[in-house]
Amino acid sequence: MVKSGINFGETFSANPNIKFRWKSPQDTVPDDAYIIVLFDMSGSMQCSTDLNRKGNCNKVPKGQRKYDAAIDTLKNFVEEAKTWKGKTQVSIVPFGNRVKTGNCNFSEPFVNVSPDNLNDFQNVESTELTKFLNTDLSNKTPCTATNIYESLYKSVEFLTNDSDERFYPVNREGEPTDNQPRLSIILFTDGFYTDTFNKDETIARGKQQQQIDKIATLLKKNP
């Protein structure tokens, strides 16, 4: 049975056992979004975006480094996110390990993928987020070793905490609400990974696979 002259918001159905509630696209409110951006602070990010360029990466001028290209891309992403409807929260988390005194112009806490750093969500319209991109991050020199999988694991673990009602809101009955927020992790890295380095490539690959399997297991527990 077809009913003409639909009033959006009205509930009806040809089958009395199945109810539909029509909603106008104009009335639809996009789900909130929580996005963790992991940003690689390893020394190789100082290298040139020109992969054919030879020589010491430390001598690549600012503006020509992978690091600068990644920051520009992240700025463009934030500008795009400002056009989205709904509330979009972003937490930018620099990551790396084995910070060397004298080579780095920041200390270990800056690249610590801790609950506090992961939880530093800012609205995409926030002036604090703009300041972090334009000053705090842009003025740093990438210099660490790389711990991609450990950082990913901690981020996934943080977002899959189903007791956090920001990420998994429930109604009065304790059931999940209809509008669950979108949860995302974006990884900015050039892919050079040092934490599982081994001269024997088979051993190195095996260690990497173990860490990937840990992340996959965590995701399966909370898809």
Side-chain angles (χ1 to χ4, degrees):
M1 183 177 81
V2 178
K3 180 174 179 177
S4 60
I6 293 174
N7 293 318
F8 291 113
E10 180 181 359
T11 301
F12 75 92
S13 174
N15 184 333
N17 296 318
I18 303 176
K19 300 295 183 183
F20 295 94
R21 184 174 179 82
W22 296 93
K23 184 180 288 187
S24 166
Q26 287 75 24
D27 294 336
T28 302
V29 178
D31 296 332
D32 293 342
Y34 289 92
I35 303 170
I36 291 175
V37 177
L38 292 173
F39 202 91
D40 189 351
M41 296 298 295
S42 64
S44 60
M45 292 290 282
Q46 286 201 75
C47 295
S48 174
T49 54
D50 180 0
L51 300 182
N52 294 318
R53 178 171 178 152
K54 307 297 182 182
N56 191 335
C57 290
N58 294 335
K59 296 182 179 180
V60 176
K62 189 173 182 179
Q64 299 179 22
R65 304 172 300 176
K66 298 176 186 177
Y67 188 71
D68 307 308
I71 290 176
D72 287 343
T73 302
L74 180 51
K75 288 179 180 178
N76 290 337
F77 167 76
V78 170
E79 288 303 311
E80 172 65 24
K82 289 179 182 179
T83 68
W84 302 346
K85 294 182 179 179
K87 184 177 69 174
T88 301
Q89 304 277 339
V90 175
S91 174
I92 301 174
V93 185
F95 72 92
N97 62 358
R98 300 201 290 277
V99 176
K100 297 179 181 178
T101 304
N103 293 342
C104 301
N105 61 351
F106 55 85
S107 59
E108 191 76 42
F110 184 74
V111 290
N112 185 8
V113 185
S114 64
D116 284 344
N117 284 351
L118 289 167
N119 197 40
D120 190 21
F121 287 102
Q122 303 286 340
N123 190 285
V124 288
E125 300 283 356
S126 167
T127 56
E128 286 297 315
L129 185 62
T130 302
K131 175 182 175 296
F132 183 83
L133 284 169
N134 291 335
T135 304
D136 297 352
L137 193 61
S138 295
N139 291 340
K140 297 294 188 291
T141 300
C143 58
T144 69
T146 320
N147 55 343
I148 296 174
Y149 298 116
E150 178 189 0
S151 302
L152 271 174
Y153 182 87
K154 289 180 178 179
S155 301
V156 172
E157 185 178 45
F158 183 80
L159 285 183
T160 53
N161 175 16
D162 58 9
S163 66
D164 193 324
E165 292 192 10
R166 292 175 302 172
F167 308 146
Y168 303 94
V170 295
N171 58 25
R172 293 179 180 178
E173 288 72 37
E175 297 295 326
T177 60
D178 291 337
N179 295 323
Q180 295 288 304
R182 292 167 291 155
L183 307 176
S184 306
I185 298 171
I186 299 175
L187 176 63
F188 279 83
T189 179
D190 61 359
F192 285 100
Y193 189 67
T194 54
D195 250 20
T196 57
F197 174 77
N198 193 293
K199 291 182 179 180
D200 186 326
E201 187 173 342
T202 301
I203 294 176
R205 294 291 184 187
K207 289 181 178 179
Q208 289 182 20
Q209 189 60 52
Q210 288 175 3
Q211 296 195 348
I212 292 171
D213 290 343
K214 279 180 61 179
I215 296 170
T217 299
L218 191 59
L219 287 170
K220 287 177 182 177
K221 288 181 180 178
N222 196 337

